[in-house]
């Protein structure tokens, strides 16, 4: 039986085998706004508030320190409640696909939830959140003793929580509960000797302590019987990261605005099925007025009324109060877990810490490590908007498209790129994905302000590709592989990176392709790094450096053969 959403609100429910289910799991103070049932929504709001207040009072009376076991038990109770509410529905039925051929290709499942789960789920969340609020305050304020913390912080916090719970509210509009630190003035902070909570120090991603946490494969299989839930079928799952790469002014921001609306409403995005959920856009390029004009323009082009997405897409315009991705740790620390299905960072280059070289693999790996931590804690998928290098992109593999270090494409779970098609106002969408089968590229046609699938165009007709067919080398020249590159440009005598790149670009390869092949050759053990001291340039050779071989830069230079691989004074990147 094919699932058919009712005309009342097709974004909230799915019917399957004669039963109705909710598309989204609601367990917070805001779930009533999207529950579709005002009575159940009000009950859930009250359950959350009552549980939060009662737990806060019990903490004040019973805790003599942070009770980690109680916090973990509350979290496990929430997980068990979510599992009890889950119902697995075939994707074809979930999205209402009737075409037999398409149904056969959709062999995955989607999760829906039994009706009536929200009040109990909200109650459990209220218990857990009250405990976590106290745990975070204790860690942030660094007060000398629990007695002081209880007497001066918890007591004032309980008063603030009682006021919050008594305040009148509209369904879906209740503000979050107050945090313990918010109940103190700056003078009270100073008297307690604790730092201000507004500026907690961001953890250093480089020196953070890592403890062993290995498990047997049997335990892993038991803990993870299924893949993470899809957000965009074929591209992105919960907690994953996806790069969206395109040339400047190609329409990346319009594209991801369309993506945000598709996720928020559960509509397909460029042919990819989406699972509905709230979306947060952190935009460091546009002013609020521009965003307020742009999002409705895209929605209008898609025929999506404001009522379907207005309360599900959220925007924080950071232009004028710019901060980098590492400094956003306190920001994300104040976002509730599982609050957003997708968080969009537009644009990545403006989120890089000052002085960061986007060509530095180590620096960019640290950036993505931080984003992975945010994604894991929040349960959100992150979408990062980035630009390509200058020049043509037709001759590059998907993972080589994008400005900066190659670690950017390797660190992400999906690397989605847009490249110009030979037809004006058209692009080719392609992607390298980690947790899905390989996708087929597809063509999109631009019609302001949205892209649409152009099935009449050939994805192989990339703009500029004709030049490769007419090149002097001819179409029969073998493809450049790491092995062919190493045999041609990496000798037994060490040469610095710049020399190798100059030789390869002189032979007709692009600099970007040369750098990628050199990196791949090193990974494959076909090129080896030679080091000559802290102040010497790193060089590459076909054989590994022998232990104790400390030849000076000048001695190596003197023995290097002349010709295409003669050493020069090129800079090592």
């Amino acid at each position: 039986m094919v699932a058919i959403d009712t005309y009342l609100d097709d974004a909230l429910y799915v019917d399957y085998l004669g039963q109705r289910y909710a598309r989204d799991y609601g367990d917070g103070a805001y779930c009533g706004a999207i529950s579709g049932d005002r009575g159940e929504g009000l009950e859930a709001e009250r359950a959350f508030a009552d549980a939060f207040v009662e737990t806060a009072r019990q903490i004040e009376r019973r805790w003599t320190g942070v009770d980690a076991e109680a916090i973990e038990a509350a979290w496990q109770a929430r997980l068990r409640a979510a599992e009890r509410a889950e119902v697995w529905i075939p994707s074809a039925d979930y999205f209402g696909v009737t075409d037999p051929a398409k149904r056969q290709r959709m062999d995955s499942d989607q999760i829906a939830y039994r009706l009536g789960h929200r009040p109990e789920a909200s109650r459990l969340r209220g218990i857990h959140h009250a405990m976590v609020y106290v745990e975070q305050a204790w860690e942030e304020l660094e007060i000398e003793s629990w007695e002081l913390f209880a007497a001066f912080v918890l007591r004032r916090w309980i008063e603030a929580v009682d006021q919050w719970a008594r305040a009148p509210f509209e369904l879906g509009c209740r503000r979050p509960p107050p945090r313990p630190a918010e109940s103190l003035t700056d003078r009270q902070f100073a008297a307690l000797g604790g730092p201000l909570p507004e500026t907690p120090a961001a953890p250093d991603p480089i020196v953070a302590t890592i403890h062993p946490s290995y498990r047997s494969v049997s335990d892993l299989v038991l803990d993870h019987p299924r893949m993470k839930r899809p957000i965009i079928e074929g591209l992105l799952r919960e907690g994953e990261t996806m790069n969206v790469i395109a040339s400047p002014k190609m329409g990346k921001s319009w594209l991801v605005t369309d993506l945000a609306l598709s996720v928020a409403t559960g509509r397909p995005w460029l042919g990819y099925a989406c699972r509905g959920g709230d979306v947060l856009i952190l935009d460091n390029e546009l002013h609020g007025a521009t965003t307020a004009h742009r999002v409705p323009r895209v929605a209008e082009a898609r025929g999506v009324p404001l009522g379907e997405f207005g309360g599900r897409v959220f925007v924080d315009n950071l232009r004028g109060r710019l901060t980098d991705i590492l400094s956003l740790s306190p920001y994300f620390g104040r976002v509730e877990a599982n609050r957003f299905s997708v968080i969009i960072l537009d644009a990545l280059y403006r989120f890089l810490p000052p002085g960061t070289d986007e060509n530095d693999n180590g620096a960019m790996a640290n950036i993505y490590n931080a984003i992975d931590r945010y994604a894991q804690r929040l349960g959100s998928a992150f979408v990062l908007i980035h630009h390509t290098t200058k020049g043509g992109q037709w001759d590059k593999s998907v993972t080589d498209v994008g400005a900066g270090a190659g670690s950017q494409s390797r660190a992400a779970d999906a690397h989605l790129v847009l490249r110009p098609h030979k037809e004006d106002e058209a692009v080719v969408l392609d992607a390298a994905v980690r947790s899905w089968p390989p996708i087929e590229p597809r063509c999109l046609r631009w019609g302001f302000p949205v892209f649409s699938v152009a099935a009449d165009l050939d994805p192989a007709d990339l703009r500029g590709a004709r030049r490769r067919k007419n090149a002097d080398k001819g179409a029969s020249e073998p493809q450049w592989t790491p092995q062919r590159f190493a045999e041609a440009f990496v000798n037994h005598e060490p040469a610095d990176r710049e020399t190798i790149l100059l030789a390869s670009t002189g032979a007709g390869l692009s600099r970007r392709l040369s750098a990628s092949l050199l990196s791949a050759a090193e990974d494959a053990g076909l090129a080896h790094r030679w080091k000559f001291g802290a102040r010497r340039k790193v060089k590459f050779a076909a054989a590994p450096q022998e232990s104790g071989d400390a030849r000076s830069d000048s001695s190596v230079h003197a023995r290097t053969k002349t010709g295409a691989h003669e050493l020069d004074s090129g800079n090592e990147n």
Side-chain angles (χ1 to χ4, degrees), residues 23 230 249 257 290 305 346 384 394 406 412 416 424 431 457 463 485:
R23 292 187 183 272
K249 306 303 180 184
T257 299
T290 306
D346 189 6
L384 319 175
W394 60 272
L416 186 147
D424 291 339
L457 300 181
R463 184 176 301 171
F485 182 89

Side-chain angles (χ1 to χ4, degrees), residues 134-201:
V134 173
E135 178 189 36
Q136 291 175 344
W138 171 248
E139 293 175 352
E140 292 174 2
L141 299 182
E142 299 179 358
I143 294 176
E144 180 179 333
S145 68
W146 182 266
E147 289 74 15
L148 282 174
F149 180 77
F152 290 95
V153 179
L154 292 185
R155 187 173 301 170
R156 290 174 172 81
W157 177 56
I158 296 299
E159 295 175 356
V161 167
D162 286 338
Q163 293 178 2
W164 165 79
R166 291 195 299 267
F169 67 93
E170 294 292 331
L171 183 62
C173 298
R174 185 197 290 271
R175 65 181 179 86
R179 293 180 177 270
E182 296 171 355
S183 62
L184 299 179
T185 65
D186 291 351
R187 180 172 296 181
Q188 289 168 337
F189 271 114
L192 292 171
L196 295 181
E198 289 80 8
T199 56

